[in-house]
Amino acid sequence: MSKRESNSVRLDKQGVPKVMHIFDYFADSLGMFSLNAISGLVGQLTYFYTDKVGAAAGAIATMFLICKIVDAFTDLIMGHICDSTKPGKEKYRPWLLRAGVPAGIMLVLLFMVPKGANQTIQLIYMCITNLLMTAILYTAISIPYGAIMMIRTPSQEERGVMGTWRAAAGYVSGMVIAVAVIPITNALGGDQSAWIKMGAVFGTLILINMIICWKCSKESAVDRRIISQIKEKKPEEMTDDEYAEHIFSIEQDAADSKLTMLEAIKCLFKSKYWIIWLVVNLFNQITYGLTNSSGTYYCKWIYGNDNLVAILGGIGMIPTIIGFILAMPMIKKLGAVKTLRVSFFLGAVANALRLLNPYDFWYNAILGCICTFATIPPMCVGGVIGGMNIQYNEHKFGARIIARSGSASSFGMKIASGFGASIVGWCLAVANYDPKMTVVTEATKQAIFAFSIYIPLIAFIMMFVFMLRYDLDKVLPEINKDLAERKENRKAKIIAARK
């Protein structure tokens, strides 16, 4: 990068300052790579606990749901901690290091279940390690990390690009786990020791990634060059406009800090757009929870070979690549909201067609590609939709409620993802699943079809229906105009008071 490029102010199509460069996007995306690696491996734990440790499927399902409920409440606490940080201090970035490093270490401990102990001791160990990983460390990373996108850049265009990079990185880690975990652990012996070794590799990678993400993240809502010039000056040395910008920024932070957790939640539940997006994410997380936990069972008992997970993962890379190539053109052509509607419609149709022949590998693999494609654009527009909701919060309530908006939404999503993962265990328990059976029973087949096809079909239909009611994209220009006028009026008063 030339000196001229680094010092010039770049603007997006709306005339908003752009602050991101290629390495910024890459370093930021490593956080999502790590988060998805953690959630992907946690999703594999049902299979690991039942088939490698020998725990009962029903007990595991209930344990996971309890952990997710506790996990969800810690999201609310973490959002309050972030938004309540005193103005002038970094609210979000420090947590990437504080929680990122121990998360890499904790990942290994997830697989070190005392195999010789009785089932009660095993369940206690599983519950404690899952709570520490998901309720404490994962939450302490994900809530601040989600908020960073909103305050890192004021450009919706750059937020969209950040979302695409994050989605791509997250999907790569998810695909690596889907393709590699079963074949690698089988090659290493297929026992608990093999899973521990695999966990150590991913744990080290997560630790390194989070250090890079922390090092390269910034907390500034305007161009770095401009903000650094302002920060170098004392208030009396600033121009009127710089001083007004400085005070206005402090007032914005203070507005968020003044709200109690209860007040913030009340505001959010008065926003129909936040509620719609919450419901959509609930169903979305149920499908993710099912996908992370169900694939190995489907390949092992419906297709007869659990190593086919790797082939399905490889095939799934095709629609993934196509999805990321087409995501931004779709968003530019259709807008974020219509892109989601199209995606959810495709997912519903593909799952419905799987009902015609759920046994044929290639038929389901092709339809699975459509389902995979349908999940890519929603990954890319999450940051854009979140930014729109936060702008609406500021317009309606006078406070952005950044971290608590994400944490309250994540509260429901965590329960939904836990419910999705637990559905797998409960369905298997109802079917009297036996991992040592030599011939799959009809009840087990129907259980697998339920959490692999029936429930995802219902989820896609519900997401499509709810997005038909989301019209914030149509009123957002007027909201932005109002916010800009408020800001200019407030800055004028600050300047007048200064004189």
Side-chain angles (χ1 to χ4, degrees):
M1 185 192 306
S2 68
K3 183 176 180 180
R4 181 175 177 271
E5 288 175 321
S6 63
N7 288 334
S8 61
V9 177
R10 298 171 298 120
L11 304 177
D12 66 11
K13 292 180 180 179
Q14 284 73 44
V16 179
K18 298 173 71 173
V19 304
M20 303 290 289
H21 299 281
I22 292 297
F23 187 77
D24 295 321
Y25 289 123
F26 170 74
D28 176 79
S29 72
L30 293 179
M32 185 57 71
F33 182 98
S34 301
L35 288 171
N36 275 27
I38 293 171
S39 60
L41 288 170
V42 169
Q44 295 281 343
L45 287 176
T46 298
Y47 177 74
F48 171 73
Y49 289 154
T50 58
D51 287 43
K52 303 302 175 181
V53 178
I60 294 301
T62 303
M63 182 273 293
F64 270 126
L65 185 60
I66 293 172
C67 288
K68 281 297 181 182
I69 292 173
V70 176
D71 185 8
F73 278 98
T74 60
D75 279 16
L76 298 177
I77 295 170
M78 192 65 216
H80 183 69
I81 290 172
C82 288
D83 279 344
S84 298
T85 303
K86 293 181 179 179
K89 293 186 177 181
E90 286 189 312
K91 296 184 175 186
Y92 314 111
R93 190 179 78 100
W95 292 101
L96 303 183
L97 186 65
R98 293 171 186 168
V101 172
I105 299 170
M106 180 56 62
L107 190 67
V108 186
L109 298 178
L110 287 176
F111 300 101
M112 298 180 69
V113 181
K115 195 169 183 180
N118 62 49
Q119 186 165 329
T120 301
I121 298 298
Q122 289 180 337
L123 285 171
I124 292 173
Y125 182 91
M126 295 172 192
C127 189
I128 291 174
T129 51
N130 270 276
L131 285 173
L132 289 174
M133 172 56 86
T134 59
I136 305 299
L137 299 176
Y138 185 95
T139 295
I141 298 171
S142 64
I143 298 302
Y145 181 69
I148 281 176
M149 179 186 287
M150 303 305 140
I151 52 89
R152 178 98 186 257
T153 171
S155 168
Q156 287 280 35
E157 180 181 318
E158 287 195 319
R159 288 175 185 169
V161 177
M162 285 178 75
T164 301
W165 273 80
R166 287 186 176 192
Y171 210 89
V172 166
S173 66
M175 291 303 296
V176 167
I177 290 170
V179 171
V181 167
I182 298 302
I184 288 177
T185 53
N186 284 345
L188 292 172
D191 56 5
Q192 183 177 0
S193 176
W195 284 73
I196 293 173
K197 293 173 185 176
M198 178 270 302
V201 172
F202 275 103
T204 301
L205 188 59
I206 288 169
L207 189 151
I208 295 171
N209 284 348
M210 291 310 303
I211 290 175
I212 295 173
C213 184
W214 163 79
K215 183 69 176 177
C216 299
S217 292
K218 305 289 181 182
E219 290 194 25
S220 64
V222 294
D223 187 275
R224 286 192 290 268
R225 180 178 63 85
I226 297 174
I227 200 69
S228 64
Q229 289 176 353
I230 294 176
K231 284 184 176 180
E232 288 173 359
K233 298 180 179 180
K234 296 179 180 179
E236 59 270 19
E237 297 173 337
M238 297 178 184
T239 65
D240 285 345
D241 194 61
E242 289 174 344
Y243 179 78
E245 187 72 44
H246 174 68
I247 298 299
F248 184 81
S249 177
I250 292 175
E251 289 178 346
Q252 274 190 317
D253 286 345
D256 281 339
S257 301
K258 287 178 182 177
L259 286 176
T260 66
M261 173 58 72
L262 184 60
E263 289 171 338
I265 292 175
K266 285 181 178 179
C267 288
L268 293 174
F269 275 97
K270 291 178 182 178
S271 167
K272 74 170 186 176
Y273 300 111
W274 181 83
I275 293 174
I276 290 172
W277 188 234
L278 170 66
V279 174
V280 169
N281 275 307
L282 289 177
F283 284 108
N284 207 21
Q285 288 301 313
I286 288 176
T287 61
Y288 284 147
L290 291 172
T291 300
N292 286 337
S293 304
S294 65
T296 306
Y297 291 104
Y298 205 100
C299 288
K300 182 176 181 178
W301 298 113
I302 304 302
Y303 299 142
N305 184 356
D306 60 2
N307 283 319
L308 288 175
V309 171
I311 296 178
L312 285 179
I315 295 172
M317 287 300 295
I318 298 173
T320 300
I321 295 170
I322 294 174
F324 283 119
I325 291 174
L326 296 181
M328 291 310 296
M330 286 178 66
I331 295 168
K332 288 182 180 179
K333 178 71 175 178
L334 302 175
V337 175
K338 288 184 179 178
T339 295
L340 289 173
R341 292 171 184 168
V342 170
S343 299
F344 295 146
F345 179 78
L346 288 174
V349 170
N351 272 290
L353 291 174
R354 290 188 66 190
L355 296 173
L356 300 177
N357 186 358
Y359 296 97
D360 185 88
F361 176 81
W362 288 108
Y363 177 77
N364 281 272
I366 292 171
L367 290 174
C369 286
I370 298 175
C371 293
T372 298
F373 176 84
T375 65
I376 303 303
M379 292 181 183
C380 300
V381 303
V384 176
I385 297 293
M388 291 166 59
N389 290 341
I390 287 170
Q391 286 172 283
Y392 180 78
N393 291 344
E394 186 176 3
H395 166 73
K396 187 173 179 65
F397 310 116
R400 294 169 296 177
I401 323 176
I402 298 175
R404 280 174 286 193
S405 177
S407 67
S409 186
S410 181
F411 171 85
M413 290 161 57
K414 288 279 185 70
I415 294 178
S417 65
F419 184 67
S422 296
I423 286 174
V424 174
W426 288 330
C427 288
L428 293 174
V430 169
N432 293 316
Y433 173 71
D434 180 5
K436 296 179 181 179
M437 62 184 166
T438 55
V439 179
V440 63
T441 64
E442 184 62 29
T444 298
K445 288 181 183 179
Q446 290 304 316
I448 293 172
F449 292 153
F451 57 66
S452 299
I453 302 176
Y454 307 154
I455 297 173
L457 169 60
I458 295 171
F460 271 114
I461 292 173
M462 294 304 296
M463 288 188 286
F464 174 74
V465 170
F466 272 91
M467 283 311 299
L468 290 177
R469 299 181 58 83
Y470 192 97
D471 61 353
L472 181 54
D473 53 327
K474 296 179 181 178
V475 299
L476 193 62
E478 193 64 30
I479 288 175
N480 286 336
K481 180 180 177 182
D482 176 69
L483 290 175
E485 290 176 354
R486 290 186 195 178
K487 181 176 181 179
E488 290 305 313
N489 290 337
R490 180 56 189 150
K491 286 175 66 176
K493 291 180 180 179
I494 293 171
I495 293 172
R498 188 189 193 194
K499 295 179 178 179

